[in-house]
Amino acid sequence: MSIDFSLSPELEEIRSRVRSFVTEVILPTERRIEEENLRDTDRKEYVRALAALRKQAQGDGMWLPHMPPQWGGMGLGHVELAMVQAEAAKSYYGPWVLNCQAPDEGNMHTLLHFGTDDQKARYLEPLCHGTAASCFAMTEPEVAGSDPTLIGTSAYPDGDEWVVNGHKWFISNAHRADFAILVCRTEDDPELPQAANSAFIVDLPSDGWTEVRQIGTMHGSTGHSEILIEDLRLHGDQMLGGRGEGHLLGQYRLGPARLAHCMRWIAQAETALDMMVDRSLNRFAHGSLLAEKQGIQWMIADSAMELYQSKLMVLHAAYRIDRGVDFKSEVSMAKHFVANALGRIIDRSIQVHGALGYSTDTPLAGMYQHARWARFADGPDEVHQMRIAQRTIAAYQDHGSTRSATGDLPL
Ligand SMILES: Cc1cc2nc3c(=O)[nH]c(=O)nc-3n(C[C@H](O)[C@H](O)[C@H](O)COP(=O)(O)OP(=O)(O)OC[C@H]3O[C@@H](n4cnc5c(N)ncnc54)[C@H](O)[C@@H]3O)c2cc1C
């Protein structure tokens, strides 16, 4: 048995290269973009600055950490990917610069696994080159997104084509996507409710696909769109995966994609904890530094313990994915735990910063707003808890012990 948390020299080299690139190149550009408000005042310069970062990342071999080398990627496993994602996400633009951002990252995995050769050439290749963007369209306003068996958007066959009608919302990246992976109902009477849906690739723009609006959120309008689908015609060869495999494809996509979110959230939580400690070492009140007060030390200690647990859970879930063993419970537990720890750690950091934490002079306010969606997107807390409990009960019923449901660790 070997449990070894040290990194190979090659991986350590990759990690420190990504860390330097983020600290020395991406973060200064990010600060300039914010200080000069480039996004609103000089769109051309904004795009130029970001494109230059991508070019440098690609040239320096920090491109597509999650993809195999034959697709231009770094060929990392999920454990290795956790190191790179957690470094990249120290910057808001980091994952995008390395071309491993949601939802493209999950869509690349999906196309790699389910796409035909032709689909890979048309859709995966430009995604990997960074010359295309994509979105994943599953959630609908009318039915609970946490239960995909309720999906109402439907497709019926008409000769060589499928005709799709329905309504989607919160489709991230749809505003700028070149194509969508669309999940809709194709089977009226499936053997299993999970086998009612199929996935299609939709070229954008397409007649019958209308972006109604970008939805305003508690963090402003952030590129999540409402889409109306009216008599959208898709050729049969636009189906991704087999008929009735839409749910399977969603599950396959969401496991690693959920964990990739966790890897990025760890970076955010670490930033919040670093800021909490830094502030506590520099703020003086009632005769001592905040860092010397027990009430503040408890917040720091709780956050440190939660971040430690988060890292271990993510590494172990990633290890299980790499080993090809069932990872559903471990990813569910990691997703639930890290999403909640993230919110708590940022909240404590805001508390220690006082009014400054509530202001927009630090990134904490924005991080707090962003963190809120983590508890229900890609599976709400309660659904993960329901599944974890079901598997824990089943483990006890099957084996007389819950051991296999708690990570199946040798403890
Ligand atoms: C920022 C953001 C980006 C997103 N991007 C995408 C995207 O790109 N593509 C896409 O398709 N979707 C996307 N979504 C949608 C997201 O995946 C859904 O919000 C999520 O699946 C939950 O669905 P829902 O919002 O319909 O909530 P519902 O399913 O209506 O659930 C609402 C609440 O009900 C409770 N609940 C549900 N089931 C149970 C249960 N079994 N037991 C107890 N309580 C329960 C939970 O508290 C849950 O939060 C995004 C959402 C956000 C906020």
Side-chain angles (χ1 to χ4, degrees), residues 391-406:
R391 291 189 197 108
T392 307
I393 293 165
Y396 184 79
Q397 285 171 331
D398 292 348
H399 311 296
S401 163
T402 56
R403 190 177 301 126
S404 61
T406 54

PDB file of all heavy atoms in Angstrom, residues 391-406:
ATOM      1  N   ARG A 391     -26.667   5.784  -0.607  1.00  0.00           N
ATOM      2  CA  ARG A 391     -25.548   4.850  -0.800  1.00  0.00           C
ATOM      3  C   ARG A 391     -25.030   4.342   0.549  1.00  0.00           C
ATOM      4  O   ARG A 391     -24.582   3.207   0.653  1.00  0.00           O
ATOM      5  CB  ARG A 391     -24.424   5.527  -1.592  1.00  0.00           C
ATOM      6  CG  ARG A 391     -24.833   5.787  -3.025  1.00  0.00           C
ATOM      7  CD  ARG A 391     -23.672   6.257  -3.873  1.00  0.00           C
ATOM      8  NE  ARG A 391     -24.205   6.853  -5.092  1.00  0.00           N
ATOM      9  CZ  ARG A 391     -24.209   8.149  -5.367  1.00  0.00           C
ATOM     10  NH1 ARG A 391     -23.661   8.993  -4.519  1.00  0.00           N
ATOM     11  NH2 ARG A 391     -24.751   8.596  -6.470  1.00  0.00           N
ATOM     12  N   THR A 392     -25.098   5.186   1.575  1.00  0.00           N
ATOM     13  CA  THR A 392     -24.623   4.765   2.904  1.00  0.00           C
ATOM     14  C   THR A 392     -25.559   3.693   3.474  1.00  0.00           C
ATOM     15  O   THR A 392     -25.117   2.676   4.019  1.00  0.00           O
ATOM     16  CB  THR A 392     -24.541   5.985   3.848  1.00  0.00           C
ATOM     17  OG1 THR A 392     -23.757   7.000   3.193  1.00  0.00           O
ATOM     18  CG2 THR A 392     -23.877   5.632   5.164  1.00  0.00           C
ATOM     19  N   ILE A 393     -26.856   3.910   3.306  1.00  0.00           N
ATOM     20  CA  ILE A 393     -27.839   2.922   3.790  1.00  0.00           C
ATOM     21  C   ILE A 393     -27.672   1.606   3.018  1.00  0.00           C
ATOM     22  O   ILE A 393     -27.648   0.519   3.592  1.00  0.00           O
ATOM     23  CB  ILE A 393     -29.279   3.486   3.646  1.00  0.00           C
ATOM     24  CG1 ILE A 393     -29.450   4.679   4.604  1.00  0.00           C
ATOM     25  CG2 ILE A 393     -30.327   2.405   3.910  1.00  0.00           C
ATOM     26  CD1 ILE A 393     -30.675   5.543   4.315  1.00  0.00           C
ATOM     27  N   ALA A 394     -27.494   1.733   1.681  1.00  0.00           N
ATOM     28  CA  ALA A 394     -27.339   0.524   0.857  1.00  0.00           C
ATOM     29  C   ALA A 394     -26.078  -0.242   1.256  1.00  0.00           C
ATOM     30  O   ALA A 394     -26.075  -1.477   1.309  1.00  0.00           O
ATOM     31  CB  ALA A 394     -27.286   0.892  -0.621  1.00  0.00           C
ATOM     32  N   ALA A 395     -24.994   0.502   1.551  1.00  0.00           N
ATOM     33  CA  ALA A 395     -23.743  -0.167   1.948  1.00  0.00           C
ATOM     34  C   ALA A 395     -23.976  -0.984   3.216  1.00  0.00           C
ATOM     35  O   ALA A 395     -23.529  -2.135   3.324  1.00  0.00           O
ATOM     36  CB  ALA A 395     -22.638   0.867   2.176  1.00  0.00           C
ATOM     37  N   TYR A 396     -24.708  -0.411   4.155  1.00  0.00           N
ATOM     38  CA  TYR A 396     -24.973  -1.117   5.417  1.00  0.00           C
ATOM     39  C   TYR A 396     -25.842  -2.348   5.158  1.00  0.00           C
ATOM     40  O   TYR A 396     -25.582  -3.437   5.691  1.00  0.00           O
ATOM     41  CB  TYR A 396     -25.642  -0.176   6.424  1.00  0.00           C
ATOM     42  CG  TYR A 396     -25.844  -0.842   7.768  1.00  0.00           C
ATOM     43  CD1 TYR A 396     -24.785  -0.972   8.661  1.00  0.00           C
ATOM     44  CD2 TYR A 396     -27.081  -1.401   8.112  1.00  0.00           C
ATOM     45  CE1 TYR A 396     -24.946  -1.619   9.876  1.00  0.00           C
ATOM     46  CE2 TYR A 396     -27.248  -2.051   9.320  1.00  0.00           C
ATOM     47  CZ  TYR A 396     -26.180  -2.160  10.200  1.00  0.00           C
ATOM     48  OH  TYR A 396     -26.345  -2.813  11.390  1.00  0.00           O
ATOM     49  N   GLN A 397     -26.858  -2.143   4.301  1.00  0.00           N
ATOM     50  CA  GLN A 397     -27.758  -3.281   4.013  1.00  0.00           C
ATOM     51  C   GLN A 397     -27.005  -4.411   3.300  1.00  0.00           C
ATOM     52  O   GLN A 397     -27.223  -5.581   3.560  1.00  0.00           O
ATOM     53  CB  GLN A 397     -28.935  -2.806   3.162  1.00  0.00           C
ATOM     54  CG  GLN A 397     -29.938  -2.008   3.984  1.00  0.00           C
ATOM     55  CD  GLN A 397     -30.994  -1.332   3.127  1.00  0.00           C
ATOM     56  OE1 GLN A 397     -30.752  -0.996   1.974  1.00  0.00           O
ATOM     57  NE2 GLN A 397     -32.181  -1.127   3.699  1.00  0.00           N
ATOM     58  N   ASP A 398     -26.083  -4.018   2.390  1.00  0.00           N
ATOM     59  CA  ASP A 398     -25.375  -5.036   1.599  1.00  0.00           C
ATOM     60  C   ASP A 398     -24.241  -5.709   2.376  1.00  0.00           C
ATOM     61  O   ASP A 398     -23.960  -6.882   2.195  1.00  0.00           O
ATOM     62  CB  ASP A 398     -24.787  -4.418   0.327  1.00  0.00           C
ATOM     63  CG  ASP A 398     -25.885  -3.991  -0.630  1.00  0.00           C
ATOM     64  OD1 ASP A 398     -27.049  -4.386  -0.404  1.00  0.00           O
ATOM     65  OD2 ASP A 398     -25.598  -3.241  -1.582  1.00  0.00           O
ATOM     66  N   HIS A 399     -23.518  -4.918   3.188  1.00  0.00           N
ATOM     67  CA  HIS A 399     -22.285  -5.446   3.796  1.00  0.00           C
ATOM     68  C   HIS A 399     -22.318  -5.453   5.320  1.00  0.00           C
ATOM     69  O   HIS A 399     -21.325  -5.826   5.952  1.00  0.00           O
ATOM     70  CB  HIS A 399     -21.068  -4.609   3.357  1.00  0.00           C
ATOM     71  CG  HIS A 399     -20.999  -4.378   1.874  1.00  0.00           C
ATOM     72  ND1 HIS A 399     -20.833  -5.400   0.977  1.00  0.00           N
ATOM     73  CD2 HIS A 399     -21.093  -3.238   1.136  1.00  0.00           C
ATOM     74  CE1 HIS A 399     -20.814  -4.898  -0.252  1.00  0.00           C
ATOM     75  NE2 HIS A 399     -20.972  -3.594  -0.179  1.00  0.00           N
ATOM     76  N   GLY A 400     -23.395  -4.965   5.916  1.00  0.00           N
ATOM     77  CA  GLY A 400     -23.442  -4.898   7.372  1.00  0.00           C
ATOM     78  C   GLY A 400     -22.527  -3.828   7.939  1.00  0.00           C
ATOM     79  O   GLY A 400     -22.256  -3.794   9.148  1.00  0.00           O
ATOM     80  N   SER A 401     -22.029  -2.947   7.076  1.00  0.00           N
ATOM     81  CA  SER A 401     -21.141  -1.866   7.526  1.00  0.00           C
ATOM     82  C   SER A 401     -21.262  -0.703   6.547  1.00  0.00           C
ATOM     83  O   SER A 401     -21.470  -0.909   5.348  1.00  0.00           O
ATOM     84  CB  SER A 401     -19.695  -2.354   7.560  1.00  0.00           C
ATOM     85  OG  SER A 401     -18.814  -1.244   7.619  1.00  0.00           O
ATOM     86  N   THR A 402     -21.089   0.497   7.071  1.00  0.00           N
ATOM     87  CA  THR A 402     -21.125   1.673   6.185  1.00  0.00           C
ATOM     88  C   THR A 402     -19.742   1.996   5.617  1.00  0.00           C
ATOM     89  O   THR A 402     -19.583   2.985   4.906  1.00  0.00           O
ATOM     90  CB  THR A 402     -21.615   2.918   6.978  1.00  0.00           C
ATOM     91  OG1 THR A 402     -20.748   3.095   8.116  1.00  0.00           O
ATOM     92  CG2 THR A 402     -23.051   2.752   7.455  1.00  0.00           C
ATOM     93  N   ARG A 403     -18.739   1.170   5.927  1.00  0.00           N
ATOM     94  CA  ARG A 403     -17.343   1.510   5.617  1.00  0.00           C
ATOM     95  C   ARG A 403     -17.143   1.872   4.139  1.00  0.00           C
ATOM     96  O   ARG A 403     -16.470   2.844   3.817  1.00  0.00           O
ATOM     97  CB  ARG A 403     -16.436   0.341   5.999  1.00  0.00           C
ATOM     98  CG  ARG A 403     -14.950   0.704   5.943  1.00  0.00           C
ATOM     99  CD  ARG A 403     -14.071  -0.450   6.400  1.00  0.00           C
ATOM    100  NE  ARG A 403     -14.370  -0.853   7.752  1.00  0.00           N
ATOM    101  CZ  ARG A 403     -14.666  -2.109   8.117  1.00  0.00           C
ATOM    102  NH1 ARG A 403     -14.699  -3.073   7.215  1.00  0.00           N
ATOM    103  NH2 ARG A 403     -14.935  -2.411   9.360  1.00  0.00           N
ATOM    104  N   SER A 404     -17.729   1.077   3.251  1.00  0.00           N
ATOM    105  CA  SER A 404     -17.478   1.322   1.824  1.00  0.00           C
ATOM    106  C   SER A 404     -18.105   2.625   1.355  1.00  0.00           C
ATOM    107  O   SER A 404     -17.765   3.129   0.276  1.00  0.00           O
ATOM    108  CB  SER A 404     -18.013   0.146   0.991  1.00  0.00           C
ATOM    109  OG  SER A 404     -19.408   0.035   1.189  1.00  0.00           O
ATOM    110  N   ALA A 405     -19.015   3.187   2.151  1.00  0.00           N
ATOM    111  CA  ALA A 405     -19.673   4.439   1.733  1.00  0.00           C
ATOM    112  C   ALA A 405     -18.958   5.671   2.272  1.00  0.00           C
ATOM    113  O   ALA A 405     -19.386   6.797   2.023  1.00  0.00           O
ATOM    114  CB  ALA A 405     -21.129   4.445   2.200  1.00  0.00           C
ATOM    115  N   THR A 406     -17.897   5.469   3.027  1.00  0.00           N
ATOM    116  CA  THR A 406     -17.171   6.625   3.557  1.00  0.00           C
ATOM    117  C   THR A 406     -15.780   6.679   2.926  1.00  0.00           C
ATOM    118  O   THR A 406     -14.762   6.718   3.612  1.00  0.00           O
ATOM    119  CB  THR A 406     -17.078   6.581   5.103  1.00  0.00           C
ATOM    120  OG1 THR A 406     -16.506   5.317   5.488  1.00  0.00           O
ATOM    121  CG2 THR A 406     -18.437   6.715   5.744  1.00  0.00           C
TER     122      THR A 406
END
